[in-house]
Structure formats: structure tokens, C-alpha cells
């Protein structure tokens, strides 16, 4: 069974940076598109960024120019570099393997203080 484990969340002041990691078990990682999503308190889960197996990226308008998604197929790991964090970025961040049925990690909390 594939498992995704996020790390790197925490508390940071506005304007600061965090780097999220997502380690994926098994050998499927390099074969599937992946992404980062987030869910703020009382809000629906939303896409933050996605990256395909050929490194084509997509970013939500709200994070464009501040966040960078990447993946290392050799290490079965994906990353989300978050710079210029804002209070509105506060949320639980989830990594996912994207397909007919997405596979989700357990989430990591990111809190940005004003």
C-alpha cells in the first residue's frame, strides 16, 4: 500500500519561508502526477500546485511567484518551497498522488503569524 508522509510544517512569521517535503513509499511515484493541496479552517480543500511526471507545473494564482513545487524521482520525494508567506497561507497542507483516485498524505500544519 502506498503511503505519503509530509514534513516541514510549522509556525513562521509573515514574510518567512518553509519547505515542505513528502516522502512516498513504493515504486509508483515516478509514474504519476503529484500535487500539494491545502485546507484552511472552515474552508474547502484547494489546489496549491501540481507537477507532472515530465515536470510541467501549475500554481494557484494565490501562490504564483512565491511557492515552488519540485520532485525528486530518485528519492520518491516531492517538495514545496514556500517563500513570502502570508497569514492567508495558514492551513493544513497535503501532498497527493493524482489519478482516478487521489492518494493523500496525512497533512502538515502551516501557521503564519502576522
Amino acid at each position: 500500500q502506498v503511503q505519503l508522509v509530509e514534513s516541514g510544517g510549522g509556525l513562521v512569521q509573515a514574510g518567512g519561508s518553509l519547505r515542505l517535503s513528502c516522502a512516498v513509499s513504493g515504486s509508483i511515484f515516478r509514474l504519476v502526477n503529484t500535487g500539494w493541496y491545502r485546507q484552511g479552517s472552515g474552508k474547502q480543500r484547494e489546489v496549491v500546485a501540481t507537477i507532472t511526471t515530465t515536470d510541467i507545473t501549475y500554481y494557484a494564482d494565490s501562490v504564483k511567484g512565491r511557492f515552488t513545487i519540485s520532485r525528486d524521482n530518485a528519492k520518491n520525494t516531492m517538495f514545496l518551497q514556500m517563500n513570502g508567506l502570508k497569514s492567508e497561507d495558514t492551513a493544513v497542507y497535503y501532498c497527493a498522488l493524482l489519478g482516478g483516485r487521489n492518494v493523500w498524505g496525512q497533512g502538515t500544519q502551516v501557521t503564519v503569524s502576522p
Side-chain angles (χ1 to χ4, degrees):
Q1 185 175 354
V2 177
Q3 290 188 321
L4 289 73
V5 180
E6 299 101 334
S7 60
L11 174 64
V12 64
Q13 287 188 330
S17 298
L18 284 174
R19 180 177 168 89
L20 304 183
S21 299
C22 175
V24 181
S25 65
S27 59
I28 194 175
F29 179 76
R30 64 181 180 86
L31 301 175
V32 298
N33 299 333
T34 58
W36 288 95
Y37 290 68
R38 67 186 180 187
Q39 187 166 15
S41 180
K43 298 180 180 179
Q44 289 189 331
R45 190 172 298 189
E46 62 179 2
V47 61
V48 175
T50 61
I51 184 167
T52 69
T53 57
T54 55
D55 290 338
I56 296 172
T57 57
Y58 163 84
Y59 295 95
D61 287 343
S62 59
V63 306
K64 206 171 290 184
R66 299 188 297 124
F67 291 11
T68 302
I69 189 172
S70 60
R71 58 190 289 165
D72 184 339
N73 290 336
K75 297 183 178 180
N76 281 5
T77 305
M78 58 188 290
F79 306 96
L80 185 68
Q81 177 67 44
M82 305 186 294
N83 299 329
L85 283 161
K86 305 175 181 180
S87 57
E88 52 261 46
D89 294 319
T90 294
V92 178
Y93 283 71
Y94 300 88
C95 61
L97 304 183
L98 307 177
R101 184 175 69 88
N102 294 346
V103 181
W104 300 95
Q106 83 287 352
T108 185
Q109 177 70 46
V110 171
T111 302
V112 184
S113 62

